[in-house]
Amino acid sequence: MIDRVITSGTFSLDGGTWDVDNNVWLVGDAREVVVIDAAHDAATIAERVGGRTVKAIVCTHAHNDHINAAKPLADRTGAPIRLHPADQVLWEQQYGATASYEPLADGEKIEVGGIALEVVHTPGHAPGAVCLYAPDLGALFSGDTLFKGGPGATGRSYSSFDTIIDSIGERLLTLPPETVVHTGHGDSTTIGAEAPHLEEWITRGG
């Protein structure tokens, strides 16, 4: 029900560009999937989707490395792109007026293959950052909000360390400790593994 595709490309913001590897998550069954964070390579993602219907392309936030394959994949599949509207300014940096999306709302549930993905607004890394919680799978798709070892980066435009700490502490670390956290980059972790370190993150300031 959960599949990962790793794609490679670049992330650009505030005049800098960095090489990155992104986790693209596919959630669903043999008939239909939701693609979470269509990054870099629409053809590779489409190949993994195969003949299944793409119900939605969900963006956890609008940094270019998480959305730069969203429009090409949408053009291939006819699937809607979903994004929290608080990330409009970042969306425009990638697409201007050439692509549109359907807005996500906190608490909304996206159904796919008998699975419910609950949208959890977790600003901080970006104003419109969201996580997707699948209680039936015991899984959270955290984008760049929570990683193995700490919160996502907040040193660039439109980010806030205090806000991401509030988001993580109030909205994520309250989930069951056995919840597996599937991240936007790198290895997965669990809520239970990360929760004891919140005060440490606050002390070190990121």
Side-chain angles (χ1 to χ4, degrees):
M1 288 192 174
I2 300 174
D3 194 10
R4 177 174 69 162
V5 181
I6 300 174
T7 60
S8 300
T10 58
F11 163 57
S12 299
L13 189 66
D14 297 337
T17 297
W18 300 267
D19 293 329
V20 288
D21 296 325
N22 285 62
N23 294 327
V24 182
W25 297 100
L26 279 60
V27 183
D29 61 13
R31 297 175 296 105
E32 59 185 19
V33 293
V34 163
V35 175
I36 302 171
D37 287 341
H40 307 306
D41 189 341
T44 295
I45 300 167
E47 181 178 2
R48 188 67 62 89
V49 169
R52 293 176 289 179
T53 298
V54 180
K55 287 199 69 176
I57 300 162
V58 181
C59 308
T60 62
H61 61 293
H63 284 152
N64 73 290
D65 61 315
H66 288 253
I67 65 171
N68 55 13
K71 184 179 186 300
L73 187 62
D75 290 343
R76 281 173 173 257
T77 63
I81 301 170
R82 306 296 309 280
L83 175 73
H84 194 287
D87 264 9
Q88 177 68 24
V89 64
L90 292 167
W91 177 264
E92 289 178 353
Q93 289 182 9
Q94 174 68 27
Y95 287 117
T98 67
S100 60
Y101 59 85
E102 297 179 6
L104 288 171
D106 183 56
E108 176 183 353
K109 288 183 172 64
I110 299 170
E111 304 280 347
V112 60
I115 302 160
L117 297 168
E118 180 180 349
V119 177
V120 184
H121 185 210
T122 51
H125 181 69
V130 302
C131 299
L132 298 174
Y133 178 45
D136 292 341
L137 300 179
L140 178 80
F141 300 90
S142 65
D144 287 2
T145 294
L146 179 62
F147 290 105
K148 184 176 183 179
T154 54
R156 303 187 180 99
S157 294
Y158 313 111
S159 65
S160 164
F161 178 73
D162 290 342
T163 302
I164 202 172
I165 287 294
D166 287 345
S167 291
I168 293 170
E170 295 171 9
R171 310 221 60 192
L172 301 186
L173 299 187
T174 54
L175 296 174
E178 64 273 15
T179 303
V180 178
V181 181
H182 296 298
T183 61
H185 309 270
D187 296 332
S188 298
T189 182
T190 66
I191 292 295
E194 302 308 321
H197 302 291
L198 180 63
E199 294 302 321
E200 173 191 337
W201 302 336
I202 294 170
T203 299
R204 77 183 191 213

